[in-house]
């Protein structure tokens, strides 16, 4: 490095050196001047090295700062991009969630409508069943009432028929008895000699009358048993309407 550059950096020291260099004749200062020059040169070299190091560090720091600024800008851009991506994702998720909620509400509404329709249908079916049940009970009551009326009428007819049969049998028996008495009177008055024959005939007639009466009783008992069986069958088959009378 030149002296001019050193003078420009340290003007006071350069002026002293110039003054000292002009005194060539003064030998006692030459050695001191030489030492000062050497010290100055050493200082100047260190200063230049320090300046270069400072410039290098400054350049390095400036480059690092630019890199850091670029990195921060890149990070910011990436963060903004990530935020926008996250924002769009959240918006999509919000739309999906909203659509899901709408769909769920529609499903719940549809389920409620279906439940209401099922309830109405069940209520209508129950009302129809009640009507059919009431109609069935009314029909059963009508049939039972009719069956009871027919049974009572038949019982009355049977009682009347028994009374008629008993009366007819008694009248026939009375007629026979009266005829027998008359005949016996006539026989007694007309043919006393035939008493034994008449008595035998009388006994035979009485025996036949008894046999006929027993046959009649047996027939009546069979008839009553048959009627009981018919009543039992009517009780089992209540829906069937029995005949008001049976053929003899």
């Amino acid at each position: 490095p030149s002296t001019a550059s050193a003078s420009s950096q340290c003007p006071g020291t350069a002026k002293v050196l110039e003054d000292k260099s002009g005194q060539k004749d003064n030998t006692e200062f030459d050695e001191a001047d030489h030492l000062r020059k050497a010290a100055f040169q050493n200082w100047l070299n260190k200063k230049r090295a320090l300046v270069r190091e400072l410039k290098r560090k400054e350049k390095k720091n400036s480059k690092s700062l630019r890199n850091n600024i670029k990195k921060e800008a890149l990070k910011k851009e990436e963060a903004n991009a990530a935020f926008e991506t996250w924002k769009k994702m959240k918006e999509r998720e919000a739309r999906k969630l909203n659509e899901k909620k709408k769909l769920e509400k529609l499903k719940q509404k549809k389920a409620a409508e279906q439940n209401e329709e099922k309830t109405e249908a069940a209520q209508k079916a129950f009302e129809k069943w009640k009507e059919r049940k009431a109609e069935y009970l009314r029909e059963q009551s009508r049939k039972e009432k009719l069956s009871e009326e027919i049974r009572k009428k038949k019982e009355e007819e049977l009682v009347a028929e028994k009374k008629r049969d008993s009366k007819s049998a008694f009248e026939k028996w009375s007629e026979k008895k009266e005829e027998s008495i008359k005949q016996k009177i006539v026989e007694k008055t007309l043919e006393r000699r035939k008493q034994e024959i008449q008595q035998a005939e009388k006994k035979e007639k009485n025996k036949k009358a008894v046999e006929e009466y027993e046959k009649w009783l047996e027939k009546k008992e069979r008839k009553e048993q048959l009627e009981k069986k018919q009543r039992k069958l009517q009780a089992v088959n209540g829906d069937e309407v029995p005949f008001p009378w049976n053929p003899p």
Side-chain angles (χ1 to χ4, degrees):
S2 62
T3 307
S5 62
S7 298
S8 64
Q9 292 177 2
C10 300
T13 306
K15 184 71 171 61
V16 172
L17 291 174
E18 288 174 359
D19 292 340
K20 291 296 182 182
S21 62
Q23 297 175 2
K24 295 180 179 179
D25 294 333
N26 194 353
T27 56
E28 59 184 30
F29 292 104
D30 288 341
E31 186 177 354
D33 184 52
H34 179 71
L35 292 173
R36 284 194 295 273
K37 284 181 179 180
F40 174 75
Q41 189 64 40
N42 186 29
W43 172 83
L44 185 61
N45 290 335
K46 288 182 179 181
K47 184 178 179 181
R48 287 175 178 173
L50 180 61
V51 169
R52 285 195 302 271
E53 183 65 20
L54 290 173
K55 287 182 178 180
R56 186 184 67 80
K57 287 183 178 182
E58 184 180 357
K59 184 177 180 181
K60 183 179 180 181
N61 290 334
S62 177
K63 185 177 180 180
S64 177
L65 181 61
R66 286 195 301 272
N67 289 335
N68 290 335
I69 292 171
K70 288 181 180 179
K71 286 181 181 180
E72 290 296 328
L74 183 60
K75 286 181 181 180
K76 188 175 181 180
E77 289 178 0
E78 290 177 352
N80 289 333
F83 175 73
E84 291 297 328
T85 303
W86 176 83
K87 185 178 178 182
K88 290 178 180 179
M89 181 183 70
K90 287 297 181 182
E91 289 175 355
R92 286 195 300 269
E93 289 179 355
R95 286 194 298 269
K96 288 182 180 178
L97 183 60
N98 192 21
E99 292 294 330
K100 187 176 180 181
K101 288 182 179 178
K102 288 181 180 179
L103 184 62
E104 191 67 25
K105 286 183 179 179
L106 289 175
K107 287 182 179 179
Q108 292 176 356
K109 185 179 179 181
K110 188 174 181 181
E113 291 175 353
Q114 289 177 351
N115 289 333
E116 186 176 357
E117 291 176 358
K118 288 180 180 179
T119 303
E120 291 178 358
Q123 185 66 26
K124 290 180 180 178
F126 178 71
E127 293 297 330
K128 289 182 179 179
W129 176 83
K130 280 176 64 177
E131 291 177 1
R132 291 196 299 268
K133 184 69 175 177
E135 182 64 25
Y136 172 77
L137 292 175
R138 286 193 295 269
E139 184 66 18
Q140 287 294 108
S141 178
R142 187 186 66 80
K143 288 181 179 180
E144 290 175 1
K145 187 176 180 181
L146 180 60
S147 178
E148 184 66 19
E149 290 176 356
I150 292 172
R151 186 185 65 80
K152 288 181 179 180
K153 186 176 180 182
K154 189 173 181 180
E155 286 180 355
E156 291 173 358
E157 289 177 354
L158 289 172
V159 170
E161 186 179 355
K162 286 179 181 180
K163 288 181 179 180
R164 286 194 301 270
D165 291 342
S166 298
K167 185 178 180 182
S168 177
F170 178 75
E171 288 176 353
K172 288 180 180 180
W173 180 81
S174 297
E175 289 176 359
K176 288 181 181 181
K177 186 176 181 181
E178 186 177 357
E179 289 177 0
S180 177
I181 292 170
K182 287 179 181 180
Q183 189 176 358
K184 285 192 288 184
I185 293 171
V186 171
E187 288 176 354
K188 284 180 181 180
T189 58
L190 295 176
E191 298 181 0
R192 289 184 177 273
R193 293 179 296 177
K194 296 181 180 179
Q195 287 182 357
E196 294 179 356
I197 297 172
Q198 288 177 355
Q199 289 178 357
E201 289 178 352
K202 183 181 178 182
K203 288 180 179 180
E204 186 67 23
K205 287 181 180 179
N206 288 334
K207 183 180 179 181
K208 288 182 178 180
V210 171
E211 288 178 354
E212 288 179 0
Y213 183 73
E214 288 177 352
K215 288 179 180 179
W216 174 82
L217 286 176
E218 185 179 358
K219 180 181 178 181
K220 187 176 72 169
E221 288 176 358
R222 286 199 302 268
K223 187 176 183 181
E224 288 177 352
Q225 289 176 358
L226 180 60
E227 289 171 356
K228 287 181 180 180
K229 289 182 179 179
Q230 288 178 349
R231 285 197 296 272
K232 288 181 180 180
L233 289 174
Q234 289 173 8
V236 174
N237 302 319
D239 294 339
E240 298 181 1
V241 180
F243 291 100
W245 57 273
N246 291 320

